[in-house]
Amino acid sequence: MRPITDALYMHIEMERKQWLHIIEWTVAIAALVYLVYSLAIYDHYDLVSSSLQAMGWQQWTALALCVALMPINMLLEAWKWAFLMNKCIETEERLSLFEAQHQVYYGKLAGLITPWRLGEYPARGLMMPKGKRRHMPKVLSMGAVGSATMTLAIVIAGVIALFFSPAVTSLLGDSYLLAVVAVVFALAICLLLAPKALRKWAKINNRTLIVGVALSLLRLFCWCIQFGLILFSLDSLSFSVESIGLIPVYYLLITITPNVPIVEVGVRGAWAMLLFGSANAALAGVLLWAINTLLPCLAASVKQMYILRK
């Protein structure tokens, strides 16, 4: 009976690997198609061209620095992901920073082509090394924690910045501010209940949540620097406390506003134009989305194609 059992197990394992390869190829190809589609339907290349032609060496340097910070941005997310996962899996199976980076980049691909980025964390679990994929429930649990801590960090920074932006506060109106307050309370309640609610699948405590929020704030700081650089490169930012304080508010607004990836570019551009008052600011929102989303997705898809061909 033992040889039959072993043969059956090997057959099931081979089929599972085949399905995993099919899923990996599907996600990589679908993401590439979406990237091409996004570039093809964008109808403001004339604005991009005129803005780039008007840039001097200082603006080009700022834009180059913004692009150079993209890997740092992804590294910070990988650092947080490795920290969260290593809190709930066995010591001998600890996730390395290299493995975490691979998962974060591949998760970008799946998040790009799924509503509300629902596929991002399952895709990270799919990229777990062989022998660790049984941790999928923990991946999804820690994914929920990672998303909640990032959202909470954005809301905290944005609400603080709102106190220094009375004009924006009056522009948004009471209903939007109440919605922000409701989101803060909902996130706080979820994070307080998370250690008990997710204890079945993952080891979570208040210290883990605090560190998760701290790492999220660090990544948000990187985003703010990037957006400030790209606004400067497009002559849409004056270096004052009020204008710089609008950047965390911008991230607050695009986080609270419901959107799906396919319309995310429009949402970002609209809020940027409203806050900073120029068409170039809207272009800055689109360019930063391209740098922090399209470039990692392109890098991940090319790398994944290379891995799958080997």
Side-chain angles (χ1 to χ4, degrees), residues 19 45 75 104 132 158 168 175 181 186 228 258 302:
W19 277 108
Y45 283 110
L75 180 63
V104 166
K132 297 182 185 178
V168 177
S175 59
V181 172
V302 171

Side-chain angles (χ1 to χ4, degrees), residues 3-265:
I4 297 176
T5 304
D6 291 344
L8 180 61
Y9 173 79
M10 290 179 62
H11 175 72
I12 294 173
E13 184 67 15
M14 288 179 63
E15 281 197 348
R16 189 179 69 85
K17 286 183 179 180
Q18 288 176 349
W19 277 108
L20 285 176
H21 278 294
I22 291 171
I23 294 172
E24 290 172 14
W25 271 105
T26 301
V27 170
I29 293 172
L32 273 177
V33 170
Y34 178 76
L35 292 178
V36 173
Y37 172 76
S38 299
L39 295 173
I41 65 172
Y42 185 70
D43 55 0
H44 295 294
Y45 283 110
D46 54 338
L47 179 60
V48 175
S49 177
S50 61
S51 298
L52 295 181
Q53 288 175 10
M55 289 167 53
W57 70 268
Q58 293 171 317
Q59 285 75 27
W60 278 109
T61 301
L63 185 60
L65 287 173
C66 179
V67 175
L69 283 172
M70 183 275 288
I72 306 298
N73 164 35
M74 298 297 288
L75 180 63
L76 290 171
E77 174 61 17
W79 181 17
K80 184 178 80 169
W81 181 239
F83 167 78
L84 291 175
M85 286 303 300
N86 289 336
K87 284 294 180 180
C88 63
I89 61 178
E90 292 77 5
T91 304
E92 64 273 10
E93 294 182 336
R94 289 179 66 85
L95 195 66
S96 69
L97 189 58
F98 177 80
E99 292 172 338
Q101 277 195 287
H102 181 51
Q103 293 173 24
V104 166
Y105 273 87
Y106 186 75
K108 275 278 188 183
L109 288 176
L112 185 71
I113 58 175
T114 52
W116 301 283
R117 297 191 183 90
L118 292 177
E120 183 169 350
Y121 290 105
R124 291 187 187 185
L126 186 66
M127 289 295 103
M128 291 287 281
K130 184 180 178 181
K132 297 182 185 178
R133 288 174 182 159
R134 69 181 187 279
H135 295 306
M136 183 61 80
K138 295 178 181 179
V139 169
L140 299 179
S141 299
M142 300 314 288
V145 173
S147 294
T149 52
M150 189 72 244
T151 302
L152 185 60
I154 292 171
V155 171
I156 290 172
V159 169
I160 292 173
L162 277 176
F163 285 104
F164 299 93
S165 309
V168 177
T169 304
S170 60
L171 180 65
L172 292 176
D174 294 337
S175 59
Y176 199 90
L177 294 176
L178 287 174
V180 172
V181 172
V183 169
V184 172
F185 275 107
L187 282 171
I189 291 171
C190 288
L191 288 175
L192 287 173
L193 296 178
K196 293 181 179 179
L198 300 177
R199 191 168 293 166
K200 179 179 178 181
W201 299 283
K203 297 176 183 177
I204 303 173
N205 53 39
N206 291 330
R207 180 179 175 277
T208 302
L209 298 177
I210 292 171
V211 174
V213 172
L215 292 175
S216 297
L217 285 169
L218 192 59
R219 190 182 182 204
L220 175 62
F221 181 65
C222 180
W223 286 351
C224 290
I225 293 175
Q226 284 185 292
F227 196 54
L229 287 170
I230 206 166
L231 284 172
F232 170 76
S233 69
L234 296 175
D235 290 326
S236 296
L237 180 68
S238 59
F239 285 98
S240 64
V241 173
E242 185 174 354
S243 59
I244 293 174
L246 289 176
I247 297 177
V249 175
Y250 166 75
Y251 281 109
L252 170 67
L253 296 177
I254 62 175
T255 299
I256 299 298
T257 304
N259 66 81
V260 294
I262 199 167
V263 298
E264 184 176 1
V265 178

